[in-house]
């Protein structure tokens, strides 16, 4: 399986990346690159997925909805997936 990188931008980016990697069936790591122009970002690298691509897409959709619902003060602006 190829690695999938997820870029998350915004104030809550590091915490959102951490929550993404806590999803059962996903393994990987994240890093917070050097800030530029005041933008906070995190890049998560997913290296293991259990259940296939369709299951991953559903898990990410649920993660995104849960995150916005449960962290109103720590929103993130964008989530970009490359794979």
């Amino acid at each position: 399986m190829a690695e999938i990188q997820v870029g998350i931008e915004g104030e809550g980016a590091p915490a959102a990346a951490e929550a993404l990697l806590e999803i059962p069936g996903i393994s990987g790591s994240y890093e917070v690159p050097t800030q530029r122009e005041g933008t906070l970002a995190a890049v998560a690298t997913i290296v293991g997925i259990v259940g296939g691509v369709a299951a991953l897409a559903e898990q990410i959709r649920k993660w995104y909805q849960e995150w916005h619902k449960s962290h109103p003060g720590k929103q993130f602006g964008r989530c970009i997936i490359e794979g």
Side-chain angles (χ1 to χ4, degrees), residues 17-64:
E18 187 173 327
L20 173 64
L21 295 173
E22 290 176 357
I23 294 173
I26 293 179
S27 63
S29 62
Y30 78 95
E31 63 181 58
V32 179
T34 305
Q35 291 184 18
R36 16 172 232 254
E37 300 175 17
T39 301
L40 183 59
V43 177
T45 302
I46 299 172
V47 294
I49 301 170
V50 175
V53 175
L56 172 65
E58 180 62 19
Q59 291 283 9
I60 290 175
R61 185 187 69 78
K62 285 180 181 178
W63 158 77
Y64 181 81

Side-chain angles (χ1 to χ4, degrees), residues 4-9 12-24 26 30 42-44 46 55-71 74-81:
I4 297 172
Q5 288 197 332
V6 180
I8 304 169
E9 294 180 356
E18 187 173 327
L20 173 64
L21 295 173
E22 290 176 357
I23 294 173
I26 293 179
Y30 78 95
V43 177
I46 299 172
L56 172 65
E58 180 62 19
Q59 291 283 9
I60 290 175
R61 185 187 69 78
K62 285 180 181 178
W63 158 77
Y64 181 81
Q65 290 176 333
E66 289 281 326
W67 178 262
H68 279 285
K69 203 182 301 181
S70 62
H71 296 84
K74 293 186 176 181
Q75 299 299 312
F76 55 87
R78 285 189 243 182
C79 179
I80 302 167
I81 302 172

